[in-house]
DNA sequence: CGATAGTTTGATATCCTTCAAAACCTGTGG
DNA sequence: CCACAGGTTTTGAAGGATATCAAACTATCG
């Protein structure tokens, strides 16, 4: 099993052996956490950049009335913001959605990597820009699509991102989300999410049980979603 | 009238005289454009970073079915992404909402600034992170708030951002948006935007005519929106 | 095996859209 | 200075997508 970060960065540009070694070394020093743990809370100023090596996480915000908005999903190979140090405090939290393995990279170490490994630095910037592009696409998703297309779009995106890091097995991906969390992601209630997913199931598009999403008809799902993967800026497939 | 970029960056950290001079020099070399001009189109790879010195612009995407989502507003002092060069092509367009003055900074020039002026570099990174934070907050806005609160929230944000660059006169800001554009920003139809705005007017909260937004009761508007400005990461007021 | 979290169902309410037309601006050319 | 064209705002009526509430059912986990 290859390092997900290497796989991801390699889908943007070639890396030298030295670069790959460094990334492997970083990913080797992980800590395990339980699902539900917060890596960073709103209001904190973190000391490390976190790299997710295994499992899922999410960025989220809780509003005063208790409602929650999920702002991003992190999957293996994803980092919380590289430049996190510049801001005085976090304006959102990052929490684990499944049991996970996480590498912590100190500010100094991060700086050293950026200085000494220009290829990695460039690839990490690319990853940052892609994160932003994903955020923009989520906004489009919420603003312009109905519930059915919205969920389809999210599934298409997560499928591609998982594929990028080598985590698609057959037509299945690990998707450790409750329907309520799905709803908090795309601005729908869990009840409505449930009905839409049932419809997708009955139409033979997907299965979703045991935290496993199976896409039976990817082509049709993409069509429903109006999915155009260009925003993920995947350059060459590994 | 102070340079809006200097004002904005100064709200994050102090700058040296040399830094300020440089920024002033950049802002002095502008070109004027008419409202409706696209600075960058989807699919292009731009050669310059654009800095908006006067007027409003917006990032937007057009979907295959013709619908449009506005992803961000740019006001004086805002740059289109500093690292735009890393991506092979734009996944969205940037267009002017009003007549505007724009400075173009070449890739090489940008690189020189980042290398030779660490304080500016850091401030520009901060600005980038804030842009991303705004995007996240827009997602929260769309996902969790109803039409009334959504519009209120947008008005609160734009008011603060305009204040940050010294463009609030009394209780008024320049807001060159049609109700349809407002709708494309927050995922509502122009008809519904119209009704919400009428309600705000009738309640004495705001006026909106002649591309001028007046906020009569900022406190109440913030309360309706559930507006918490922390995501703008304004450190010290100039 | 009981407790707790997650999914499913049904009935009803509401926010927002859609469609269509009228009224109102704003700029332009005669 | 008027008239007209095109864009923008406003109004009304009706329909639809999604929310809300409440309860039953089903997994999961210690």
């Amino acid at each position: 099993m290859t390092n997900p970060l290497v796989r991801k960065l390699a889908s943007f540009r070639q890396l030298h052996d030295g670069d790959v070694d460094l990334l492997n070394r970083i990913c080797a020093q992980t800590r395990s956490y339980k699902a539900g743990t917060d890596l960073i809370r709103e209001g904190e100023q973190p000391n490390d950049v976190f790299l997710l090596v295994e499992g899922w996480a999410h960025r989220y915000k809780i509003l005063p009335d208790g409602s929650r908005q999920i702002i991003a999903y992190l999957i293996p190979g994803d980092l919380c913001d590289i430049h996190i140090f510049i801001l005085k405090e976090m304006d959102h939290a990052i929490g684990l959605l499944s049991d996970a393995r996480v590498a912590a990279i100190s500010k100094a170490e991060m700086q050293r990597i950026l200085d000494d490994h220009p290829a990695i630095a460039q690839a990490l910037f690319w990853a940052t820009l892609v994160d932003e592009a994903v955020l923009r696409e989520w906004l489009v998703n919420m603003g312009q699509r109905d519930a059915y297309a919205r969920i389809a779009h999210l599934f298409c995106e997560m499928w591609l991102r998982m594929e990028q890091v080598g985590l698609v097995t057959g037509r299945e991906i690990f998707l450790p989300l409750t329907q309520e969390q799905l709803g908090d992601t795309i601005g729908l209630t869990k009840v409505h999410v449930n009905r839409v997913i049932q419809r997708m199931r009955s139409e033979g598009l997907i299965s979703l049980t045991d935290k496993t999403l199976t896409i039976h008809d990817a082509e049709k799902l993409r069509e429903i979603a109006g999915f155009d993967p260009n925003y993920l800026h995947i350059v060459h497939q590994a």
Side-chain angles (χ1 to χ4, degrees), chain A:
Chain A
M1 200 197 72
T2 332
N3 177 331
L5 180 57
V6 171
R7 278 192 88 122
K8 185 172 122 176
L9 298 187
S11 80
F12 167 61
R13 59 122 74 221
Q14 302 278 195
L15 296 172
H16 301 296
D17 288 350
D19 296 331
V20 173
D21 289 348
L22 174 63
L23 295 175
N24 279 330
R25 239 175 296 136
I26 289 169
C27 291
Q29 290 159 18
T30 60
R31 255 191 75 182
S32 292
Y33 297 87
K34 289 259 126 212
T37 312
D38 276 328
L39 291 179
I40 311 177
R41 293 223 178 70
E42 183 166 347
E44 289 180 4
Q45 167 149 38
N47 296 310
D48 301 303
V49 173
F50 292 106
L51 165 63
L52 196 55
V53 176
E54 197 184 315
W56 279 53
H58 67 318
R59 294 176 193 274
Y60 68 95
K61 267 191 183 194
I62 304 282
L63 299 198
D65 70 351
S67 67
R68 166 183 54 184
Q69 176 67 41
I70 294 176
I71 291 156
Y73 290 122
L74 310 198
I75 61 173
D78 285 341
L79 292 123
C80 68
D81 215 309
I82 317 179
H83 293 103
I84 223 167
F85 312 113
I86 293 182
L87 297 182
K88 291 290 175 295
E89 61 173 55
M90 286 291 287
D91 56 38
H92 64 278
I94 301 183
L96 298 178
L97 291 161
S98 69
D99 293 351
R101 288 196 304 124
V102 176
I105 306 166
S106 73
K107 183 178 179 169
E109 203 177 346
M110 192 73 221
Q111 197 55 58
R112 225 177 305 124
I113 295 168
L114 294 177
D115 290 343
D116 299 348
H117 296 263
I120 294 181
Q122 207 201 21
L124 288 179
F125 273 119
W126 164 80
T128 302
L129 293 181
V130 171
D131 287 349
E132 225 180 298
V134 167
L135 209 48
R136 285 193 293 265
E137 190 63 31
W138 280 29
L139 205 65
V140 174
N141 209 24
M142 294 254 264
Q144 304 301 326
R145 293 191 252 262
D146 67 11
Y148 191 54
R150 243 184 264 183
I151 294 180
H153 196 279
L154 180 64
F155 286 169
C156 288
E157 177 186 309
M158 294 321 298
W159 197 86
L160 249 194
R161 286 174 58 192
M162 288 292 272
E163 188 183 45
Q164 197 184 11
V165 290
L167 292 175
V168 174
T169 46
R171 329 180 113 181
E172 294 182 354
I173 62 171
F174 178 53
L175 191 101
L177 305 174
T178 65
Q179 294 180 358
E180 186 163 21
Q181 287 165 340
L182 276 173
D184 287 346
T185 306
I186 52 187
L188 299 169
T189 58
K190 62 185 169 185
V191 174
H192 200 63
V193 167
N194 182 272
R195 297 201 231 258
V196 170
I197 285 181
Q198 281 183 62
R199 183 176 155 206
M200 285 183 173
R201 282 203 269 248
S202 76
E203 286 169 343
L205 285 170
I206 63 158
S207 306
L208 181 53
T209 32
D210 290 326
K211 304 185 176 180
T212 301
L213 170 69
T214 312
I215 298 188
H216 300 114
D217 191 341
E219 188 45 53
K220 189 143 172 234
L221 200 67
R222 267 186 235 115
E223 193 188 317
I224 288 163
F227 185 75
D228 177 349
N230 73 319
Y231 71 98
L232 292 171
H233 296 278
I234 297 172
V235 179
H236 64 76
Q237 208 51 279

